[in-house]
Amino acid sequence: MSKLSLIFSFVFFFVQTVIAQKAVPVKPRILVSTDIGGTDPDDNQSMIHLLMYNELFDIEGLLSSPSYGDGSKEEILRTIDLYEKDLPKLKKHKPNLATPAYLRSVVKQGRHGAAPYKGYVTATEGSNWIIKCAQKKSNRPLWILVWGGLEDLAQALHDKPEIQNKIKVFFIGGPNKKWSANSYAYIAKNFPNLWFIESNASYYGFFSDNVPDSLSNKNYYKNFIHEVGFLGKDYKDNRYKGVLKMGDTPSLLYMMDGNPNNPMRENWGGSYVKCSHSPRLIFNRNTSVNDTVTVFSIVEFMFKGPVVNILPDSTCLTMTVESEIGEQKWDGFYLGNGNYVVRYCPKRTEILTYKVTSTISGFNEQNGTFVVDNIWPGKPHNTDYQLGANWYTDRSNPELYDDIWQGGKTVLKWRNDVLLDCAKRWSWLR
C-alpha cells in the first residue's frame, strides 16, 4: 500500500472515532463578515472551509467588510464559483449542501476602510443586510462571525440598536481589532450587554507550529489536499502557496461542536471566560519606555494643537508606528477646540515607537515609545469599557498559552481532530 493510501486509511478510521466533537443542539443561523481578498489570504482558506461544511449551518449572509486592504464581495463570489464546480462531487456525500445561486443571493458589500473616531459613518449594503437578517422572526439567534472589520456591525447597531437582543457575535480580533479600533470602541462603550466572544489570541492555536509534522502548516496541503478539485487548486494559488493558516476558521469550529450558548465549554473553536472590562488607556502626553499598555487594549493618544475650521472627526493626523512587522500608519482625528486624537490597538508584546504628523500648520510633530505587555485584559483602569454579563474572551491561564498567544492551547488541543475531519472532505474531491 502506498504512503498516500496509508494516510487516507488512517484518516477514514480516525474521523469515525473523534470524541471531541459533540452534537450541536440546533442548526445555527450564521452571517459571516470577512475581509477576504484583502491583505491576508487566510480568509480565502476559511471561506473554502465554510463552503465545504455549509450543510451544518443556515447561512444568511456573506459580507465583505474590509477595514483594511482591498477585500471585496467579488472575491466571495469567485470562491462560490469554484465551489459550484466541485459541488457535484461534494453532494454525493452531503446532498443538503447549499446551492451556489442561494449563496450568491446573500453576498453583500460592506464598508471599505476603517470608520472614523466615532466608530460609524453611513449605512452600507452589508450593514443593512445585518439588520434585515437580525429582524427575521426566529427562535434562534443570528450568529455574526466577524473575520474582518467591525464597521458594518457597528453601523447596524447604531442604525437599529434593538437588534443587539437578536444577535450573538464571535469576533476574530487581534489584527482585525487593530484595524477597526474605532468601531470596536463604539460597540464596547455603547453596547456592553451585547453577547460577544472576543477571541484576540486563542485562534492563533489553529495555525500553531506545535503539531505533528504530517499535519503541520507546511505539510497538510501536500499530504491531504494536494490540488484536489477547484477549491484545492485555489488553496495553492493564493499567496500562502498551500501553507495552512485558516485563521478565521475557529469561529466556524465553535459553531460545529456542542452548545454555542456556552462559551466556557471545551470545543473545537476554543474555550472562553467572562470578561468584565475591556482595557482603554488614555495618554495626554507622549509616552516613553516607562509606559506599559495592555495587549489588545484600546490606547488613545490625545494631543493639543491649533484650533482650525474643519469638521469634528475629520482625518487630519498620521501616526507612523514602528513595530516588529515593520512600519504601519494610522489615521488620527480632530475633535474640535484644538483637540486631536489617535486610537491604536497593539496586537502582541513588544516595544513600539511612533511619530505623529499633520499637514495642519502649527501642529507640532509628536514622538514616543511604549511597551506592550502580554496579559489580556489585565488589571483594571478607571477609563476601561465596563462590559456586561455576556462578553467573553481568551483564557489567561499560563498553561494555556501557545508560545506567546493567550488561550492558544484551547484551540490547538483539537487541531489534529479538526484537520483529519477536513481531510475526509478533501478526499471526496479526488
Side-chain angles (χ1 to χ4, degrees):
M1 185 180 291
S2 69
K3 180 179 178 181
L4 191 60
S5 297
L6 283 171
I7 289 173
F8 279 97
S9 296
F10 172 68
V11 170
F12 293 140
F13 170 75
F14 192 92
V15 295
Q16 299 299 320
T17 59
V18 168
I19 61 173
Q21 191 177 28
K22 299 176 178 63
V24 178
V26 180
K27 191 175 184 179
R29 301 167 59 212
I30 68 168
L31 181 152
V32 174
S33 175
T34 171
D35 56 0
I36 187 172
T39 57
D40 191 345
D42 80 311
D43 283 56
N44 294 74
Q45 297 182 357
S46 291
M47 183 61 68
I48 289 171
H49 183 264
L50 168 60
L51 294 176
M52 292 180 71
Y53 279 84
N54 73 67
E55 86 283 355
L56 300 178
F57 315 104
D58 284 333
I59 299 176
E60 298 197 6
L62 298 171
L63 272 56
S64 169
S65 300
S67 55
Y68 177 74
D70 298 323
S72 68
K73 72 176 186 180
E74 284 71 29
E75 188 67 7
I76 302 175
L77 293 168
R78 186 188 70 81
T79 311
I80 294 172
D81 290 344
L82 299 176
Y83 163 78
E84 183 173 33
K85 294 176 181 179
D86 283 336
L87 188 56
K89 289 184 177 180
L90 294 171
K91 288 194 75 168
K92 291 179 181 179
H93 303 271
K94 294 294 178 182
N96 294 326
L97 287 165
T99 67
Y102 171 75
L103 292 171
R104 292 186 185 106
S105 75
V106 299
V107 175
K108 308 295 175 183
Q109 183 61 59
R111 177 174 169 81
H112 282 283
Y117 182 74
K118 65 182 179 181
Y120 60 90
V121 187
T122 56
T124 67
E125 181 184 40
S127 68
N128 285 335
W129 192 254
I130 290 174
I131 293 170
K132 182 176 181 178
C133 293
Q135 290 181 323
K136 289 180 183 177
K137 291 184 178 180
S138 178
N139 58 6
R140 295 175 293 161
L142 175 68
W143 287 87
I144 300 179
L145 311 184
V146 183
W147 301 358
L150 286 164
E151 284 74 16
D152 287 297
L153 175 60
Q155 188 70 50
L157 287 166
H158 174 265
D159 294 344
K160 287 288 183 181
E162 58 269 30
I163 70 169
Q164 67 179 302
N165 299 316
K166 297 178 177 294
I167 63 176
K168 295 187 175 184
V169 180
F170 191 118
F171 175 43
I172 298 290
N176 291 324
K177 183 177 180 181
K178 182 177 182 180
W179 292 112
S180 56
N182 292 325
S183 292
Y184 174 91
Y186 174 77
I187 293 171
K189 178 182 178 180
N190 295 283
F191 298 93
N193 294 315
L194 185 63
W195 206 103
F196 198 100
I197 297 175
E198 181 176 344
S199 180
N200 286 316
S202 296
Y203 72 92
Y204 277 90
F206 198 74
F207 47 97
S208 171
D209 289 324
N210 299 318
V211 296
D213 191 55
S214 64
L215 297 174
S216 69
N217 299 330
K218 65 179 181 178
N219 287 332
Y220 183 80
Y221 182 87
K222 176 180 66 178
N223 290 337
F224 297 101
I225 303 177
H226 200 60
E227 297 189 43
V228 293
F230 292 89
L231 292 171
K233 290 182 177 64
D234 194 65
Y235 220 92
K236 186 175 182 181
D237 289 342
N238 73 34
R239 294 192 298 278
Y240 285 138
K241 305 300 181 186
V243 175
L244 181 74
K245 188 176 182 185
M246 295 170 66
D248 300 290
T249 290
S251 66
L252 296 174
L253 302 177
Y254 178 84
M255 307 302 303
M256 293 165 58
D257 182 17
N259 185 357
N261 292 313
N262 177 18
M264 302 175 76
R265 75 196 193 281
E266 286 198 356
N267 82 101
W268 280 8
S271 179
Y272 303 91
V273 292
K274 290 190 175 184
C275 184
S276 62
H277 69 283
S278 178
R280 177 188 181 222
L281 298 93
I282 301 175
F283 292 100
N284 294 297
R285 57 175 172 79
N286 283 318
T287 53
S288 71
V289 290
N290 296 318
D291 294 301
T292 298
V293 306
T294 305
V295 67
F296 310 122
S297 62
I298 298 295
V299 186
E300 297 189 12
F301 298 91
M302 301 284 189
F303 305 102
K304 294 295 291 187
V307 176
V308 292
N309 186 26
I310 61 175
L311 291 174
D313 222 10
S314 296
T315 304
C316 58
L317 303 181
T318 299
M319 183 180 195
T320 304
V321 179
E322 295 290 344
S323 66
E324 186 173 297
I325 63 172
E327 179 183 283
Q328 293 182 324
K329 296 182 183 293
W330 308 90
D331 288 337
F333 304 91
Y334 185 58
L335 300 181
N337 299 318
N339 296 306
Y340 299 78
V341 63
V342 180
R343 273 201 182 107
Y344 184 77
C345 179
K347 74 166 190 174
R348 62 178 298 158
T349 180
E350 58 184 326
I351 298 175
L352 297 172
T353 61
Y354 62 86
K355 175 176 67 176
V356 181
T357 57
S358 177
T359 57
I360 291 176
S361 177
F363 184 92
N364 297 322
E365 180 179 303
Q366 308 291 321
N367 295 275
T369 303
F370 60 95
V371 178
V372 184
D373 70 16
N374 202 32
I375 301 176
W376 155 268
K379 64 181 182 180
H381 313 85
N382 58 14
T383 52
D384 291 347
Y385 301 108
Q386 300 304 310
L387 304 174
N390 293 311
W391 203 289
Y392 300 86
T393 196
D394 310 291
R395 292 185 177 273
S396 60
N397 313 49
E399 69 274 13
L400 295 179
Y401 275 69
D402 182 44
D403 295 331
I404 67 170
W405 303 114
Q406 181 176 325
K409 287 184 179 177
T410 70
V411 172
L412 174 60
K413 179 176 182 178
W414 309 112
R415 183 178 179 277
N416 295 353
D417 295 11
V418 170
L419 290 182
L420 289 169
D421 190 70
C422 291
K424 179 180 179 181
R425 298 212 173 199
W426 283 113
S427 73
W428 298 345
L429 296 179
R430 296 190 179 278

